Structures are given as C-alpha cells and as structure tokens.
Amino acid sequence: MLLSLTLILFCGFALGGIMQKLKLPALLGMMMTGIILGPFVLNLIDASILEISADLRQIALIVILIRAGLALDLKDLKKVGRPAVLMCFVPATMEMAAVTIFGPMLFGISYLEAAIMGAVLAAVSPAVVVPRMLNLIKNGYGVKKGIPQLIMAGASVDDVYVIVLFTSFTGMYQGQAFNTAGLLKVPVSIVLGLALGILCGLIIVRLFRKIHMRDTVKILILMGTAFLFVSLESEIKEAVPLSGLLAVMALGGTIYRQYGNLAKRLSVKYEKVWIGAELLLFVLVGAAVDVRSLASVGAAAAALIAIALAFRMVGVALCLVKTKLNRKERLFTAISYLPKATVQAAIGGIPLALGIPAGNMILTVAVVAILITAPVGAIGADLTYKKLLEKNDGDDGRK
C-alpha cells in the first residue's frame, strides 16, 4: 500500500504538473496516472487501496463540498431564484432523453437499457465543477449575477436526481414497476438534507463561539460531521430519503452566513487539504477506467455523448430563459455544466454487476464520457471564464 501511495503521489503530481505546463487541467494528468497505474494497465495500485476506492473518492468529494459551502452565500443563491431550481433537473433530463432516443439506434439496445445508460451519463461532476466555481468566486468573476453559486448548487442536486432515476430504471429491468413514489424522494431528500445541514451548522457555530479551539480542530469537527451526514444517508435511505452531500454544503453555507470570518479562514485550510484529496480522487477515478473496452464502441460512444451534451446545453439554455445573464454568460454556464467523472465511476459498473445484457456497453460508454467530458469541460471553463464573465473589481466574491 505504501509503495502504491508513493507512486500515486509522485506520478500524479508529475503528470498533473506537465498538463498544467501544457495549459491543460492537472486532473487530466491525474486521471492518466490512475489509468496507467491501475489494474487494467500496469496493475501497480495495491488491491487494498482499490477495495476502499469508493470510500476514498467519497471523502475527497466531501472535502470539496465543505469548501463549496464555506464560500456559498445563500443570499446570492436566492437572487438567482427559479433558474437555480431548474438547473437541478432540466439539463439532466434532456441528456437522459437524448441517450434514450439515440442509444438504441447506435448500439441496438432496448429503450430501457438506453434509459439506464442515460441515467449513468447524465450526472455532472461536482469534483470537477466546484473547484472552478470556487476560483471564480475568489477572483470575482460572475459573482454579481450569482453564476458560480448557481452552477455549484445545481451540480450537487443534479446528482441526487439522476441517482434516484438510475435506481428506478434498474429496478424496472429486474421486473419491478417504475417507482413513481421514488421520484418524490428527490424533493424530500433535498429539503431534509438542507434542514439537517443548517441545523447542525447553527449548533456548530454556537459551539465554536463558546469554546476556544484551534482552526485545525474545527476542520476535523466539520469533517467528522460531514462523514456522519453521508453515513446517515446510507443507513436510513430505505425509510427516509436524505441527501448527505447537500447537508454537507448546507453546513458550510450556514457557517458562512453566521460566522463569515471563520468561514474564510477554514476555506483557506480546506483549499490546502483539497490538494491531496483532488490527487487521490482523480487517480482513483482513472484506475476505474478499463481502457481495453474502448476500441469496440469508441466511435459510437463518442457520437452518442456529443448528441447528449448538445441536449444538455439546450437544457441549460432553457433554464436561463428570462434571466439577466447575457449570451456569453449563458454559454459559460453551459460549458461548465458538461464534465462527468465521479458519479460515472461510482455507478457505471452496477448494470454489469446486475446482469443487464448491455451492462458492459454502459460501463464502456461511461468510461468514454469521463475521458471526453472531464477534460473538455474543465479546459473549456478554464479558458473561457475571463472572456465570457464580468469581473467584479474590488470584490472577491464575499460580501
């Protein structure tokens, strides 16, 4: 395990640095590290690390969502209003519809299998999107109109919606009826997640004000609370729908609202924690990629993903109708909403494990989606934000 971690650190930072020198996102080099060191190429990552890969990726995602919450001004999000709600499900729905329509034409699969594939592909990746939006907030780009806040919030809820539909579609394939009641879990899980995060945030702020402790201890308390949220979601999901990741963001957002100076200090510390968490996350995402299966469906998969992304961008455009955003800002929002990575790596292999005939094809298309959209979305956002968004001079995004 120690040798594997050494290789991950050295190779991941080296390839990430090379990508940055080439004006490409470091995450591309990190994913390449995972692919090369992973079980499908050199097989140099210890099995004990791969066994807990999903948990390690979850921890990294929690780190970035806490950091997002600590920079999220809820007042700015309220100003955005209706588009913030629509961004949570309209783009994903459009993308799923595209895959369901065109999947059978390109791959000869059933419409239900195509719907499952669409649910796997439709989730946007907070791990790719959120760090970039935090950078915009830090530098004051698009903050006045709440663009980074809109994208961060939508990317987090989008995942909840897609995973509920994925569960319903796979259940249908196993002979169960479509669980309409399951769709009601989406708003319930959102509301309960927000309520839990806000309540715990208020309690923690009160604790931090009354008891003096080092910021490092506060970081660990927030991490432990966030782990508890995600664990609670897993334990009670059969009885009560709850979005643990939304609770994590709401926790950070409440601290920002109630104790702004502390939120700024903790956000800086989490920015440092994210350096290691990001490396681990994207290397392990890359390690889950089976490049051997790409040759068989690569061209058709790329075509389907291009169609699906076009539908997603139309969905984003529909969400932003009658808003104050100009054409450039709407284009940036659509570009930023493209990347896929964490959810696809997490659920892409489930259809195959369930014995669905198109399972291997679904996994392969998910792999292609990660390899195409993660760098394209990241590069697109990085290269265009200065040209497409207004900079609020003298405003670092915190009021």
Side-chain angles (χ1 to χ4, degrees):
M1 181 185 284
L2 292 177
L3 177 59
S4 296
L5 289 173
T6 301
L7 291 171
I8 287 171
L9 288 171
F10 288 176
C11 297
F13 283 130
L15 283 179
I18 290 171
M19 289 299 149
Q20 287 183 314
K21 290 289 184 183
L22 297 173
K23 305 297 183 183
L24 298 172
L27 68 87
L28 190 56
M30 296 171 189
M31 285 178 62
M32 288 173 59
T33 299
I35 292 171
I36 294 167
L37 298 179
F40 304 108
V41 182
L42 298 181
N43 195 24
L44 294 177
I45 299 179
D46 190 77
S48 57
I49 294 178
L50 296 175
E51 286 171 5
I52 59 170
S53 173
D55 294 313
L56 294 174
R57 295 199 304 264
Q58 186 86 294
I59 290 170
L61 190 56
I62 286 170
V63 169
I64 194 59
L65 289 180
I66 294 177
R67 190 178 154 210
L70 291 170
L72 189 60
D73 191 335
L74 299 178
K75 289 187 293 185
D76 286 343
L77 202 54
K78 286 180 184 176
K79 291 178 186 176
V80 179
R82 172 186 56 84
V85 176
L86 294 178
M87 287 283 284
C88 297
F89 66 92
V90 172
T93 301
M94 293 287 288
E95 186 168 357
M96 280 188 279
V99 176
T100 304
I101 294 168
F102 293 97
M105 299 179 191
L106 290 169
F107 297 110
I109 58 179
S110 70
Y111 282 104
L112 182 52
E113 288 172 322
I116 294 171
M117 182 185 287
V120 171
L121 295 181
V124 72
S125 175
V128 179
V129 172
V130 170
R132 282 159 179 77
M133 297 308 107
L134 289 172
N135 183 58
L136 297 189
I137 292 173
K138 182 178 178 180
N139 293 299
Y141 282 93
V143 174
K144 190 173 181 180
K145 294 183 181 178
I147 295 170
Q149 297 91 328
L150 166 70
I151 295 170
M152 280 200 301
S156 301
V157 180
D158 170 282
D159 290 0
V160 178
Y161 172 68
V162 167
I163 289 170
V164 168
L165 285 177
F166 172 76
T167 304
S168 297
F169 292 147
T170 53
M172 286 175 65
Y173 205 95
Q174 293 173 300
Q176 304 169 17
F178 183 80
N179 188 4
T180 308
L183 292 179
L184 296 176
K185 291 181 179 180
V186 177
V188 173
S189 67
I190 291 169
V191 171
L192 290 181
L194 292 175
L196 178 63
I198 291 169
L199 177 62
C200 290
L202 293 172
I203 293 171
I204 286 175
V205 165
R206 193 166 183 179
L207 176 70
F208 288 168
R209 287 186 183 278
K210 287 197 170 186
I211 302 175
H212 175 73
M213 60 186 81
R214 297 180 57 155
D215 283 353
T216 303
V217 176
K218 293 172 183 173
I219 288 283
L220 295 174
I221 289 174
L222 289 184
M223 288 286 285
T225 305
F227 294 162
L228 182 61
F229 290 162
V230 176
S231 300
L232 182 63
E233 175 186 4
S234 179
E235 290 296 322
I236 67 172
K237 64 181 179 181
E238 297 299 328
V240 182
L242 170 72
S243 174
L245 295 179
L246 276 183
V248 171
M249 278 193 72
L251 172 70
T254 303
I255 294 172
Y256 176 93
R257 182 77 180 271
Q258 299 292 321
Y259 202 167
N261 290 334
L262 175 64
K264 291 179 184 179
R265 297 203 310 269
L266 296 185
S267 183
V268 171
K269 289 187 177 291
Y270 270 111
E271 189 173 350
K272 296 174 182 176
V273 174
W274 174 242
I275 293 171
E278 179 186 37
L279 173 70
L280 202 57
L281 172 65
F282 288 110
V283 168
L284 292 175
V285 167
V289 171
D290 186 353
V291 292
R292 300 171 304 181
S293 60
L294 298 182
S296 58
V297 297
L304 180 63
I305 290 164
I307 294 168
L309 292 181
F311 272 65
R312 170 173 276 272
M313 294 180 80
V314 170
V316 172
L318 291 175
C319 294
L320 301 178
V321 170
K322 295 185 178 179
T323 64
K324 294 181 180 179
L325 274 63
N326 59 39
R327 289 183 180 178
K328 289 183 178 181
E329 291 163 338
R330 295 181 191 203
L331 175 59
F332 175 81
T333 304
I335 292 170
S336 299
Y337 228 51
L338 296 180
K340 285 101 173 37
T342 39
V343 174
Q344 288 69 30
I347 68 174
I350 292 177
L352 180 61
L354 292 175
I356 295 174
N360 189 57
M361 188 174 294
I362 291 171
L363 176 59
T364 303
V365 175
V367 167
V368 176
I370 293 171
L371 294 177
I372 292 175
T373 64
V376 166
I379 293 168
D382 291 344
L383 293 181
T384 62
Y385 75 91
K386 290 184 179 180
K387 299 175 183 176
L388 300 180
L389 300 181
E390 294 179 7
K391 188 177 191 307
N392 308 120
D393 294 327
D395 182 6
D396 68 352
R398 296 181 183 277
K399 300 182 176 99

